[in-house]
Amino acid sequence: MTEVDTLPPNTADPGTTAALSVDGLWKVFGPRADKVIGTPDAELPRPELLKKTGCVAAVKEVSFDVAPGEVFVVMGLSGSGKSTLVRCLTRLIEPTAGTVTIDGHDITNASDAQLRDLRRHHVSMVFQHFGLLPHRQVIDNVAYGLEIRGVSKAERRKKAGEIVDLVGLTGNEQSYPDQLSGGMQQRVGLARALAGDPSLLLFDEPFSALDPLIRRDMQNEVIRLQEDLQKTMVFITHDLQEALKLGDRILIMRDGAIVQVGTPADVVANPADDYVRDFVSDVPRSHVLTLRYVMREPRPDDSSEGPIMSPDTIVRQAARAALASDHVVRVVDNGELVGIVDDDAILRIVVAEESVSP
Amino acid sequence: MSSIATVRPKTHDTGALATLRARWRLVSLLAVVAMWVLVWAFTRGEQTLAIQASDRTDIHGWFLARTTAIENADNVVTSLLAALSSGMDATLLFLQHLFTVPEYPRPYPQIGWLGALAIASLAAYAVAGWRQVLVVAPSFLLFGLLGYYEDAMDLLIVTGVAVAVALLIGIPLGIWMGHSKIVAAVVTPVLDVMQTMPSFVYLLPFSILFGIGPAVAALVTLVYAMPPSVRVTAYAVRGVSTTTLEATDSLGQNRWQRLRHVELPMAKRTIIVGVNQTTMAALAMATIAAYVDGPGLGQPVLEGLRRGQLGKSFVAGLAIVIMAIMLDRTTTAASTRSDRVARGDRDTGRVRTVALVAGTVVTLAAVYLSNSYTWANQFPEGVNIGDPISTKVDDLADWLRSDLSAITTGVQETFTLYFLNPVQDLVANSPWFVAGLAILAIAWIVGGVRALGAAAVCLAGIYWLDLWNNAMITLTAVLVATVVVMILGLAVGVWMGRSQVVDRSVRPVLDAAQTMPPFVYLIPVLVLFDANRFTAMVAGIIYAAPVAIKLIADGVSGVSATTVEAAESAGSSRLQMITKVQLPMARGSILLAANQGLLYVLSMVVIGGMVGAGALGFDIVYGFRQANFAGKGLAAGITIVLIGIMLDRITTYGARRAQSPGRATVRRKRLSLSRAET
Ligand SMILES: Nc1ncnc2c1ncn2[C@@H]1O[C@H](COP(=O)(O)OP(=O)(O)O)[C@@H](O)[C@H]1O
Ligand SMILES: [Mg+2]
């Protein structure tokens, strides 16, 4: 081990430590990129900025925090700057401005050695096109991260073997990447990321290149791993279904800037603008919305004999019981009545959905 | 719908414009030539700047003084060069003592033919697999059977040492170039010039710097052979998947780990392709280095050519061909094999280890035998097939020249009288400024302003070097031979491009032909024709045809299948398909073929200087022979380089230009086809 550098000390307030904190992050590609930020030019739409300065503002003033163990999804159309954003987090792409803090360590000012240490021990990434080493067997692909840390061959193969089993690749240790299907290759990519036992996992559209059925399997795999391992995850996707399925919170990007951050139900119920509304228009709302988003204020004349439910109950799950009862549903949070859901409210959601997808 | 309506007229416009521009270019080319002929008719023979072969001018004297000064100088640079030269000499002598040259008092070299054969076979097995042993071992036997075992070993030693050093420098440089845009920007133009320079041109400056002998042969070979390995390595490194690099970077690898575990393994296969190209270039140069007294098979070839003993040259040439095939097969096999080796196939891995151990034991035994017993050291003289072949070839040449002279001389005279002479008359017998202006005009029309600039600089240099007339004669030979190359290239290339069956049967022949050192091509042509400029041109045509054919075939077969289908469904006839769709779309490839054709022909025409091609090639050869003419020879060498750069720039810029408007034309055609369809 030659790498004695470790990350700069944790300077953050221990009470509020986020696993990942991004503050005012910019990435501008092009000549004299740093001169663009802070000028009125930075506010220009992309084509005009490109014409005027030859620069592309791929990420514009992005800030967010991710809590430990949270799955944070970043979503947006192609070209909205998602890949650039996620690469800036470990400085695979050098940010133009702003700070990134991981587990309280300032990444943006880390030295090369500190950065390597961060990538070896704290953060791993899974890529859309896998990026496996074609001349190495699965087991040695998975072990590569350990190898460059200087872990002995026997030890790293043992550890890699465990991870290979964990991601369901048992029996394929000796295969070469080109002998595996796309889904299997991405499992190798996942295993490689997990082998270093990082606390933060980054995914850049990891399943976009896969068939829909395989994609669903892989999504379930991620959910399962998340339940077992409780990693913090930043997950990039352009697929809203995937975002809703995996995300604790969703950040929606457009042309490099944040449009909206919120829980899945938040985003579906209260789209910030037409861009987001367009995105969520096809979503089966009853699958996503919780009672919190459809309830109304309690009134004195409301029946108090209906079923009691939590505000986080998903509409679809509430529908049958609510419609079966003659009384309105009472939404109770921490023993306090916070709202009422009547049949109309439920039918509005369910029927509207029918008209979208008959 | 509306978008189509707006797009269509626009496309149509650029298409029409492109056609107009192409027409205009053709018309103006013809106009320039017509003007030239007209002016020539009145000024023919005036101010042609012709000088006698025995004439030298001030500038040649100046070069001579410089060379003498360099030869007699005594400073850091010269002592460095001397050290380089003597280091190389020592290395070569060490290997020659091992394999070819007896070291007093021993009457024979340390390792004889049996040992060498065993070592080569083992090496072939190790790097390229057992199949290659079946190529290498018979090749070694054939060297002996043809009677040129020692010369073959000498050639292998020079080539091998040159390749080893070239790779040692070239691969790291290529890696650096692949990583750094700045290095690439600096090195690329140097490589460009180095690769446009005919091999022959390297010889004289090197012999001025290093004298003659084995060391200079190895040095000139390694310099000549290095560019492909640099270029291909850089290309290979740049081609490593960015996703994989990014993914492995994200794991926290440092730069050394990145190079060693990711870039080199992934680029390895392509890098070995560069090794193959470097090896073949080295072989070509090492044979020609016979001119500077380089040891090896080039010696008997050259000797045969000088003394008119074609049979001897032919047999030695045969040995060179065998060596070329052997080296090409082995390095190619090593490239395809490298993947499997990287994968370390487990079962074959064990077999391989056993075979390697056994092979090593056998090799050691063979080396011991060849060290101790004469029969295993000196190739038995009794079994010689070289002499009978040599006699047969001489007989054949006599027969062709006497009984068949009507045909061979007929071909030669017709071509010379009706094609070569008129063109040469026009180009070389015009006043120098008339020819110069015409060439500039043509450069401008074909390649635009940048080609015009390059041509102007090159022509000024040629004028300044006082070899204008000879340059025009050489240029004529190159142009005329390239016209034939292009006719061949179009005929065979279109045929191949349109039929996979033809392609598959012809391509291996072309590939094999491309690996032959240019020297070898002279021999069979000399069997047919007397030594004169025609012979050199024929050799040049044969040498350049394969590369031109392949480029055109690739261009034609590269035309998208949908386009061909669309044209077919629009009812194009075969001729229409070729002339209206496939050839126009392959325009870039055709110009590239012309570019390569010109450079290949140029390098051959120059080598032909010693078999009577005269002009610049002769000036160089004379520069070797007569110390007083070294200055003029050097000037001739630079003139050739200038001609090469000029032709290269004109055709390269032309090809670049052809590509963009060409596409517009094609788009218009496709559109009109789809319209005809509806
Ligand atoms: N290396 C680069 N140089 C210049 N522009 C880039 C570069 N990488 C990405 N971009 C531009 O930045 C924008 C965002 O790209 P990207 O982050 O890949 O988007 P996404 O991943 O959301 O599809 C795009 O307009 C893209 O063209
Ligand atoms: Mg992306």
Side-chain angles (χ1 to χ4, degrees), chain A residues 146-166:
Chain A
L146 299 171
E147 182 178 343
I148 56 182
R149 283 188 200 178
V151 177
S152 75
K153 183 157 184 170
E155 197 178 326
R156 66 178 187 248
R157 282 212 159 188
K158 181 167 162 287
K159 172 81 185 167
E162 289 165 14
I163 301 288
V164 163
D165 294 340
L166 181 70

Side-chain angles (χ1 to χ4, degrees), chain A residues 87 120 135 144 148 176 178, chain B residues 246 252-253 257 261 265 343:
Chain A
R87 279 164 179 72
R120 285 177 185 186
H135 54 281
Y144 184 65
I148 56 182
Y176 286 90
D178 61 3
Chain B
E246 204 172 36
Q253 64 190 350
Q257 289 168 329
H261 298 301
R343 297 190 153 205

